[in-house]
Amino acid sequence: SRRPDEPTEPVARFDRGQIFIMLYRGEYWQCGYVIPKGGFEEIRRGGLEAFRERLATVALYAGERAGELRSWEDVKLLTVRVDRLERWYRLGLLCIGDAAHAMSPIGGVGINLALQDAVAAANLLGAPLSDGRVDVAHLHRVQRRRELPTRLTQWLQVTIQKRVIARVLRGAGPLRPPWPLRLLAETPLLTRIPARLIGIGARPEHVRTPVRRTSA
């Protein structure tokens, strides 16, 4: 639960071997506890009480509310994967968004890319669809336009996973950010780069489909 006097900004805590994230959802916090892939069964074998105690140590000001987890039914496992189809289309079918490329939650950009895919598809397929002449060449153009930004975004996510998140979860050495992150923190002008990549994307899309009016 969330109390009225608590902030609304996202909260993240990186501790040796543990990562905990809190997202504002009005009357409650949506919380994410990051674990190594395949580690959930070991946590369950340790018991719910031990898991609540673990959360209490990393949940900052909400730690005393870890007891609100009444059973394992309150805990949902999200398995992270980053992959993409080699071919996004066939005659009569075009996959976009998560159907074409599974993104990591890092940066929360999955919805951004899905919307950009949709806009690109509308721009490239609007006229052929209206004229009834869509073929695989048109569908290929959508993949060709959207595949590069997808690859770049996934590369960035995997890099962060390997260089930052995996190291924290291993508890290896002192928790010191990699030099690129330190450089960003020390150079405010450079913070525009990740902000643009996350907020706008590597290839922004703008609706260019003409408005077509039809009678009811």
Coordinates of all heavy atoms in Angstrom, one line a residue, residues 38-51 54 72:
G38 N 15.8 -18.0 -12.9 CA 15.8 -19.4 -12.3 C 15.9 -19.4 -10.8 O 15.9 -20.5 -10.2
G39 N 15.9 -18.2 -10.1 CA 16.1 -18.1 -8.7 C 14.8 -18.1 -7.9 O 14.9 -18.1 -6.6
F40 N 13.7 -18.1 -8.5 CA 12.4 -18.0 -7.8 C 12.1 -19.2 -6.9 O 11.7 -19.1 -5.8 CB 11.3 -17.7 -8.7 CG 10.0 -17.4 -8.0 CD1 9.9 -16.4 -7.1 CD2 8.8 -18.1 -8.4 CE1 8.7 -16.1 -6.4 CE2 7.6 -17.8 -7.7 CZ 7.6 -16.8 -6.8
E41 N 12.4 -20.4 -7.4 CA 12.1 -21.6 -6.7 C 12.9 -21.7 -5.4 O 12.4 -22.1 -4.3 CB 12.3 -22.9 -7.5 CG 11.3 -23.1 -8.6 CD 9.8 -23.1 -8.0 OE1 9.6 -23.8 -6.9 OE2 9.0 -22.4 -8.5
E42 N 14.2 -21.2 -5.4 CA 15.0 -21.2 -4.2 C 14.4 -20.2 -3.2 O 14.4 -20.5 -2.0 CB 16.4 -20.8 -4.6 CG 17.3 -20.7 -3.4 CD 18.7 -20.3 -3.8 OE1 19.0 -20.2 -5.0 OE2 19.5 -20.0 -2.8
I43 N 13.9 -19.1 -3.6 CA 13.3 -18.2 -2.7 C 12.0 -18.8 -2.1 O 11.8 -18.6 -0.9 CB 12.9 -16.9 -3.5 CG1 14.2 -16.1 -3.8 CG2 12.0 -16.0 -2.6 CD1 14.0 -14.9 -4.6
R44 N 11.2 -19.5 -2.9 CA 10.0 -20.1 -2.4 C 10.3 -21.2 -1.3 O 9.7 -21.3 -0.3 CB 9.2 -20.7 -3.5 CG 8.5 -19.7 -4.4 CD 7.4 -20.3 -5.2 NE 6.4 -20.9 -4.4 CZ 5.1 -21.0 -4.8 NH1 4.8 -20.6 -6.0 NH2 4.2 -21.6 -4.1
R45 N 11.4 -21.9 -1.6 CA 11.8 -23.0 -0.6 C 12.2 -22.4 0.7 O 12.1 -23.0 1.8 CB 13.0 -23.8 -1.2 CG 12.5 -24.8 -2.3 CD 13.6 -25.8 -2.5 NE 14.8 -25.2 -3.1 CZ 15.1 -25.0 -4.4 NH1 14.2 -25.4 -5.2 NH2 16.2 -24.5 -4.8
G46 N 12.7 -21.1 0.7 CA 13.1 -20.5 1.9 C 11.9 -20.0 2.8 O 12.0 -19.7 4.0
G47 N 10.7 -20.0 2.2 CA 9.5 -19.6 2.9 C 9.1 -18.2 2.7 O 9.9 -17.3 2.5
L48 N 7.8 -17.9 2.9 CA 7.3 -16.6 2.7 C 7.8 -15.6 3.7 O 8.0 -14.4 3.4 CB 5.7 -16.6 2.7 CG 5.0 -15.3 2.3 CD1 5.4 -14.8 0.9 CD2 3.5 -15.5 2.5
E49 N 7.9 -16.1 5.0 CA 8.3 -15.2 6.0 C 9.7 -14.7 5.8 O 10.0 -13.5 5.9 CB 8.3 -15.9 7.4 CG 8.7 -15.0 8.6 CD 7.8 -13.7 8.7 OE1 6.6 -13.8 8.3 OE2 8.4 -12.7 9.1
A50 N 10.6 -15.5 5.3 CA 12.0 -15.1 5.0 C 12.0 -14.2 3.8 O 12.8 -13.2 3.8 CB 12.8 -16.4 4.7
F51 N 11.1 -14.4 2.9 CA 11.0 -13.4 1.7 C 10.5 -12.1 2.2 O 11.1 -11.0 1.8 CB 10.1 -14.0 0.7 CG 9.9 -13.2 -0.5 CD1 11.0 -12.8 -1.3 CD2 8.7 -12.7 -1.0 CE1 10.9 -12.0 -2.4 CE2 8.6 -11.9 -2.1 CZ 9.7 -11.6 -2.8
R54 N 13.3 -10.3 3.8 CA 14.3 -9.8 2.8 C 13.8 -8.5 2.2 O 14.5 -7.5 2.0 CB 14.5 -10.9 1.8 CG 15.5 -10.5 0.7 CD 15.6 -11.5 -0.4 NE 16.0 -12.8 0.1 CZ 16.4 -13.8 -0.8 NH1 16.4 -13.6 -2.1 NH2 16.7 -15.0 -0.3
W72 N 1.9 -16.6 -1.5 CA 2.7 -16.6 -2.7 C 1.8 -16.1 -3.9 O 2.3 -15.7 -4.9 CB 3.3 -17.9 -3.0 CG 4.5 -18.2 -2.1 CD1 4.5 -19.2 -1.2 CD2 5.7 -17.6 -2.0 NE1 5.7 -19.2 -0.5 CE2 6.5 -18.2 -1.0 CE3 6.3 -16.5 -2.7 CZ2 7.8 -17.8 -0.7 CZ3 7.6 -16.1 -2.4 CH2 8.3 -16.7 -1.4

